Structure formats: structure tokens, C-alpha cells
Amino acid sequence: MSRAIGIDLGTTFSAIAVLNEFGKAEIIPNAEGERVTPSVVYFGDGDSVVVGSVAKNSAVSDPYNVVEFIKRQMGNADYVFTHGDAEYGPEQISALILKKLRQDAERLLGEEVNDAVITVPAYFDDARRRATINAGKIAGLNVLRIINEPTAAALAYGLTNASEQRIMVYDLGGGTFDVTVMDVARGEITVVATDGDHMLGGNDFDDQIMLYVNDAFKREHGVDLLAEMEVQQDLRQRAEAAKKTLSSRPSAKISMSASGKRLTVDLTREQLEQMTGHLLERTKMLVESVMSEAKTAWGQIDTVLLVGGSTRMPMVPQMIERMSGKAPSQ
């Protein structure tokens, strides 16, 4: 009997895991040796389809044939991506990502993989959950269960082994945000309140950096970096890299070339926090709304768990500590 895999089907990155011989979840690296796979699909010539880092890098050279952030479209019956004579909905594109993950798992495990558990945001409605299951089926997977991402986080961090407690999971990923208050008692997890924004994530923080650099470039050279898709994608990748740098360093440099012109822009962590403060405030409002719905005071929250790559930005744990009066778990 083949083993089931666990899949985190993310907006910007996806990951696969399997239970090892000790009963612990263990990340399976992809065929490229990476622990996470970019949730990006590149449609090349003919029937050629590439998923992952190569597809993400192709966004600069051939942006019109690249699909990113498809998770934001799950359950949207009106979304269609056209390539040649073929049309792809969110389920078909997500299935291509899942197929890549499945093949990578089979390559490492040395056996056929048929069963999977897939995570979704807790606030996903029935249409989005059904779309996720259908994507799995298209990829040739028997979806044993759809599990809420906050529940998966609590399981992964071993919080279910503790005594009775009330947990908040603050999940700020690359493309989506959600916050959940849950009770853990005797190994069982009960969601008390949850909410989220599927159009808010690290990508939106990147957008603010892009606008900042573009304004500087226009002032200096009169060139709009956002006018051409290829240059825009190059700027996006450089903005994302700068954001990551600012999570560990106080400043970063962003160098851009376009129309024979070149400019290096300095960006400090303080500037990033100022230009993205309104985005962080949106997460704060949702946190307060969920706390109110759960009829919970901060003194009743035993653990605040930060999940998602975007929570590595120092301003996120700092805000949570100001709100809750306690350092969150990262």
C-alpha cells in the first residue's frame, strides 16, 4: 500500500511532506532539490509545460505565457487562461502544480503516490474547497481530506500534544492572509473563529516596493518600468529579493535597467514599514474582528503562532507583540 502525501498548495510556493518511519511529517524536496516549489506554471512551445523555479524565472523573459497566484482564482468560474487553442481554468492550472508535486514525491519515495491530504485556508468556502479537490483529481490524486491550514500548522508545531489551550494562528503567505482562533483539548482542534483576505499577501508588499522604485526611475529618467511586462517582472523579482533582505538587514539596494538607462535605489527597513503600513493595518483589523467574533481577550490566548513566509518581516511579530503583550511563536 502506497503512502499518502501531505500537500501545502500555496499561492506563491507549495510543499510536499510524508510521514517518516518515526511517524513525523518530513518535507520532501522537489526534483530540483528545493524544499518548496514556486506555484508558477509556464506554457512553452507546443504542449510543453514547466512548473516551479524555471517557470518563475521565465516570467521575466516570457511573461505572457506564465501563470502565477492561481490560488487567488480558485472557485472563480469566470477565470480563463488561454494558450494557443487551449483554455485553462484555475482547477486545471492548479492540477499541473499538483502533478509536479506528485511526480517529485514518487521520484524520491520510489513508489507510486495516489493518496493525498491538501491544505486550504480556513475561510475557503465550499466552491473553493471543491475546486481544490477537483484539481487533485485532475492530477490523478485521491484527495483523502481537505484540512484547514491553521489546523495543519497546529499539528505541525505539536501544539495538539499540549494541555487545553486557546491558540491564534496568524498566517501571512505570499498571496493570502488568514487568522484563526482555535481551541485545542485532548488532541482535538475546534475552530472558534476565522477570517481572511485572499487578495492580501507578500505579493502586495512587493507591489509597494515596485511603485517606489518605479517613481524614482521615472523622476530620474522619465521611463515607466511598469509599461513593459518583461521589465515589470524583472522589477518584481528584484523587489521581492529586497524585501527578503530587509527582513535581516536594515537596508537594501535595488538596481534596474530599462531603455538604456540605469538606476540604483536605496531602500531602508523603516521606509518599507512606512510604505506598507496600510497593508499591515488590514491584517490588524482582521485580527481584531476575529478576536471579537471569538469573544476572546488577549489574556485568554495561550499561544500566537506565526505562519507563512511574510511573517518573517520584523514588523509582523512586533505588531503582534504590541497587540497581545506576548512574543509570538515563529
Side-chain angles (χ1 to χ4, degrees):
M1 177 178 167
S2 64
R3 285 183 285 181
I5 57 174
I7 298 177
D8 175 7
L9 183 61
T11 310
T12 51
F13 289 95
S14 295
I16 40 178
V18 68
L19 289 182
N20 62 22
E21 57 185 313
F22 304 107
K24 300 293 184 181
E26 186 176 279
I27 290 289
I28 301 175
N30 62 20
E32 294 72 41
E34 304 162 328
R35 287 172 58 83
V36 293
T37 299
S39 303
V40 184
V41 180
Y42 172 60
F43 293 87
D45 296 332
D47 297 328
S48 173
V49 176
V50 179
V51 176
S53 295
V54 173
K56 183 177 177 66
N57 294 333
S58 298
V60 176
S61 59
D62 194 8
Y64 295 102
N65 289 311
V66 172
V67 181
E68 301 181 85
F69 314 115
I70 193 61
K71 185 174 178 178
R72 287 183 166 182
Q73 302 298 334
M74 291 300 278
N76 180 4
D78 297 325
Y79 176 89
V80 175
F81 177 81
T82 302
H83 178 72
D85 297 328
E87 293 185 342
Y88 300 85
E91 296 174 19
Q92 286 74 33
I93 294 172
S94 294
L96 293 171
I97 299 171
L98 291 171
K99 183 179 179 182
K100 152 77 170 170
L101 298 175
R102 177 191 181 188
Q103 291 173 342
D104 287 348
E106 289 179 335
R107 182 179 293 108
L108 186 76
L109 297 174
E111 61 185 61
E112 186 177 355
V113 171
N114 297 310
D115 300 328
V117 173
I118 304 177
T119 64
V120 296
Y123 64 85
F124 255 28
D125 58 18
D126 287 342
R128 292 172 181 153
R129 290 170 188 268
R130 283 198 302 271
T132 303
I133 293 173
N134 288 338
K137 290 179 179 178
I138 296 170
L141 288 167
N142 173 36
V143 182
L144 299 174
R145 185 177 177 187
I146 292 292
I147 184 170
N148 290 335
E149 289 166 3
T151 301
L155 290 167
Y157 280 80
L159 297 180
T160 55
N161 296 327
S163 57
E164 292 186 16
Q165 59 177 316
R166 178 157 285 192
I167 301 168
M168 169 179 283
V169 178
Y170 177 106
D171 187 350
L172 183 61
T176 58
F177 169 72
D178 61 81
V179 57
T180 303
V181 172
M182 59 177 69
D183 286 335
V184 177
R186 295 177 295 279
E188 294 187 2
I189 298 174
T190 302
V191 173
V192 180
T194 187
D195 201 355
D197 187 339
H198 74 287
M199 297 299 287
L200 175 61
N203 178 61
D204 301 285
F205 289 77
D206 299 340
D207 286 345
Q208 296 303 307
I209 299 175
M210 292 172 65
L211 292 173
Y212 177 78
V213 175
N214 188 46
D215 287 344
F217 208 95
K218 284 195 293 186
R219 285 195 304 270
E220 183 72 19
H221 299 303
V223 176
D224 186 353
L225 298 174
L226 305 180
E228 295 185 18
M229 184 66 77
E230 292 85 354
V231 178
Q232 183 183 139
Q233 288 295 332
D234 184 27
L235 176 57
R236 176 169 297 283
Q237 293 195 8
R238 293 174 187 270
E240 181 184 4
K243 178 189 67 178
K244 292 179 178 178
T245 296
L246 291 173
S247 291
S248 58
R249 301 179 61 183
S251 63
K253 294 182 180 295
I254 305 171
S255 297
M256 283 297 301
S257 298
S259 301
K261 308 293 183 179
R262 184 176 180 84
L263 181 68
T264 297
V265 178
D266 293 315
L267 181 64
T268 67
R269 183 186 295 171
E270 183 179 1
Q271 288 174 310
L272 173 64
E273 292 176 354
Q274 289 175 348
M275 69 177 67
T276 60
H278 64 290
L279 299 174
L280 200 63
E281 181 66 21
R282 282 168 61 184
T283 74
K284 180 182 178 182
M285 291 173 62
L286 278 169
V287 168
E288 292 173 339
S289 173
V290 168
M291 289 287 286
S292 177
E293 183 182 346
K295 297 180 174 59
T296 300
W298 282 111
Q300 297 171 285
I301 299 292
D302 299 293
T303 302
V304 180
L305 183 61
L306 299 186
V307 180
S310 297
T311 61
R312 295 189 180 98
M313 294 184 291
M315 60 179 144
V316 174
Q318 289 169 4
M319 180 195 73
I320 293 297
E321 187 163 0
R322 287 195 302 270
M323 294 180 72
S324 67
K326 65 186 73 176
S329 171
Q330 295 178 279

